[in-house]
Amino acid sequence: MALSNVAGFPRIGRNRELKFATEGHWRGETSAEELAATGKAIRVENWKLMQDAGIDLIPSNDFSHYDQVLDAIALVGAVPERYGWDGGDVDLDTYFAMARGRQTDALDATAQEMTKWFDTNYHYIVPELGPGTQFSLSSSKPFDEHAEAMEELGIDTVPVLIGPVSFLLLSKPADGVSDDFNALDLLESLVEVYGEVIERLAEQGATWVQLDEPCFVADRAERELDALRLAYEELCKVRERPRLLVKTYFDHVGAAYGVLRDLPIEGVGLDFTGVTHEEGAVPAHEHGGRHNAEFVAEHGGLDDQWLFAGIVDGRNVWISHLEHSLDALEGLRDRTAQLVVSTSCSLLHTPIDLDAEPAGGGADLDDETRSWMAFAVQKVGEVATLAKGLADGRGAIAEQLDANDRALDSRRESSRSRNPEVRDRVEALSEADARRDTAFPDRKQVQRQKLGLPSFPATTIGSFPQTDEIRTARRQLRQGEIQLAAYKERMRAEIDRVVAFQEEVGLDVLVHGEPERNDMVQYFGEQMLGFVFTENAWVQSYGSRCVRPPIIFGDVSRPAPMTVEWITYAQSKTEKPIKGMLTGPVTMLEWSFVRDDQPRSETCEQLALAIRDEVADLEKAGIPIIHVDEPAIREGLPLRREHWDEYLRWAVYSFRVATSVVRDDTQIQTHMCYSDFGDILEQIQEMDADVTLIEAARSRMELLHEWEKTGFANDIGPGVYDIHSPRIPTAEEMAELLGEAARVLRPEQIWVTPDCGLKTRAWPETEASLRNMVQAAKQLREELVPAS
Ligand code: GLN
Ligand code: ZN
């Protein structure tokens, strides 16, 4: 026998109902009751879908009105003081205030910080804790949802909670709390509240509870492993309690395997994605499944515990290899008291339903490519099929196996998944293609002569404010309301305006402003082969925000120039250098759903070649500087350090392949943001861009400490203008930041730049801020550069 389980289901609703109801509520248009009703309808629909599919263990409390970590904050009453909460159940207003901040006459409280959920593109709310934090049971959400499923559909669901140890490890010290505060000091009191929660769930008839402890797939110290042991030993002592499943995901559990195995918990959830792939086709961040399989096979099985085998990948859009999955599951079956087929993690990271994509919608989403894909609904089906195959034999699922075989064959052999020309080019790449002809100091000489820039040159990251007019023009073109010629005219008018503005403000290296771009990945993906775009495949990014990541389904190439027309137009309007703006290969990869039938590194090299072609064309068209954004390069770092080197090697290599095609006198710039880069400064140096423009204002130039120790060889622009806020920085404060940088770096290597693109800002503050920024650059020139 084998049972089936799903670790969590998307909660935004098939048509993003939750988003619209939630935003309506924030605008005061949707009542709390209406919002609650929308939530309930989504939950009931999800439960019913899993019930109909025959799933044995169906999750609850995987729903959320904003974020599951925020739900846990409310559950244990860890509400920071500034929200003025005075005990009792955390109400919806306080809940949303924590998520979004609140500004009223009575209260002026900033939102809690939000950050990336492991290496996914989902963001969670970071708990703020300190020695004074008092936990108390302050929400009835898990109880209500369990009762609701029982009442509506007679299902004894598995309530899902963030485990107490991960909750603490994901937290940060509250304002004013010293950095040496260790959140694990709060473990005992937190576990007490969790004890109450599971006791109450038992009282209302819950058989199982799922506690997510994803933190244990990263490298963990002894004390943290001890905390895991202690927490669950304590919870297991609760007299009346449900069975406890401790679920991990996103990588292997390493040393935590022994801890979980020895605990008196009834279930262990491990990620097995990657075990079903052909050797060599395992994406880097999915090595974990193989290790987990080895632990179970070699380090003693789970003789008394149920193994929740996360074999259906919860974070991609591809069908499983059913035969291989069955092989792997059969291998696990004898090593556990009870095998449960499950998803690797919550399906929250996948779109909901492939069948919601209109036939003939996205040009490349046809019967063939569709047959390769599975969204959440289809993945639930796969879990059920695998469990049935294990229970009743492969004959019982012959039809599904057959269809799966055919889809996998077509995927393997299709000329769209494999383009020999692209493969030959990747094959033929050598180190020489990933290296500029001369070393940086010599390049700098020739570039300086050609460009004639002042010291402390001022530039931007590419985009300028995206006004309603621009968005309207793009929409009208898409919907066929205006002709291409009219659209181009409007875009050119915008470029004229942006170029003239930059000249007038006194910037040194200009941009065209990116008015034609909806999104920095989508814009390029739409012009490359191997990508497909969807209509309805929304995935929650945070709160009510959803994204539709492009899908890379086949070999990537660039059939024609993508930006040359816009950039050369902009250059024709000014004597100053214009830089061509491109998105780098690693960022294209990170912000897409990536094919899982070959290593990510190979897909990245294909992307690198496509961008290299564009770089070459821009140079040929006379563009003197090419800027290649790689904001996501840090995000792709695997969770375990053992995989860092491998990732960084191919990530840096791909960037260099994309950019090394140019002559010495063509300048390559790059930009990075959204992360702390302290960990990877050495690799940023290895990328060997002539100029690196990097987010720094926001972190108050923390990077300077690193550079003080190591230096940085090439030119560098630490951002001096925090573009995440409408606040206008003064010339003095920016000059001060530049002065600090000039004490650590060489003045002649410093560029002056904002932290990131300006597309989310409004014009008035952009104008004022950039004027001040140019002023700051001029001040530094006067102070630090001797008059000749
Ligand atoms: N060139 C892009 C822009 O200016 C870069 C955005 C980013 O780094 N996220 O918008
Ligand atoms: Zn940026």
Side-chain angles (χ1 to χ4, degrees), residues 460-464 466 511 513-514 517 519-520 524 581-583 587 591 627-632 671-674 693 695 723-724 755-760:
T460 64
I461 303 300
S463 59
F464 270 79
Q466 291 241 333
V511 295
E514 305 180 19
R517 301 188 188 173
D519 171 273
M520 65 187 289
F524 292 99
M581 301 299 306
L582 303 173
T583 301
T587 300
W591 292 350
H627 168 124
V628 180
D629 284 310
E630 282 292 20
H671 161 67
M672 278 153 235
C673 60
Y674 299 132
L693 307 169
E695 176 180 297
I723 58 85
H724 299 91
D755 261 352
C756 192
L758 299 161
K759 85 178 192 194
T760 56

Side-chain angles (χ1 to χ4, degrees), residues 683-735:
Q683 285 81 11
I684 292 177
Q685 176 72 63
E686 280 168 26
M687 288 163 73
D688 198 27
D690 297 300
V691 182
T692 299
L693 307 169
I694 192 163
E695 176 180 297
R698 220 181 181 200
S699 56
R700 299 189 197 93
M701 298 258 161
E702 269 169 26
L703 281 176
L704 293 181
H705 301 302
E706 301 290 329
W707 284 322
E708 190 158 22
K709 286 179 262 165
T710 60
F712 195 85
N714 301 16
D715 279 10
I716 185 110
V720 290
Y721 158 23
D722 173 10
I723 58 85
H724 299 91
S725 147
R727 191 177 160 272
I728 298 165
T730 63
E732 291 69 41
E733 68 189 68
M734 288 188 276

Side-chain angles (χ1 to χ4, degrees), residues 728-732 734 767-777:
I728 298 165
T730 63
E732 291 69 41
M734 288 188 276
E767 172 166 1
S769 302
L770 289 180
R771 278 189 200 287
N772 290 350
M773 192 183 88
V774 169
Q775 190 53 43

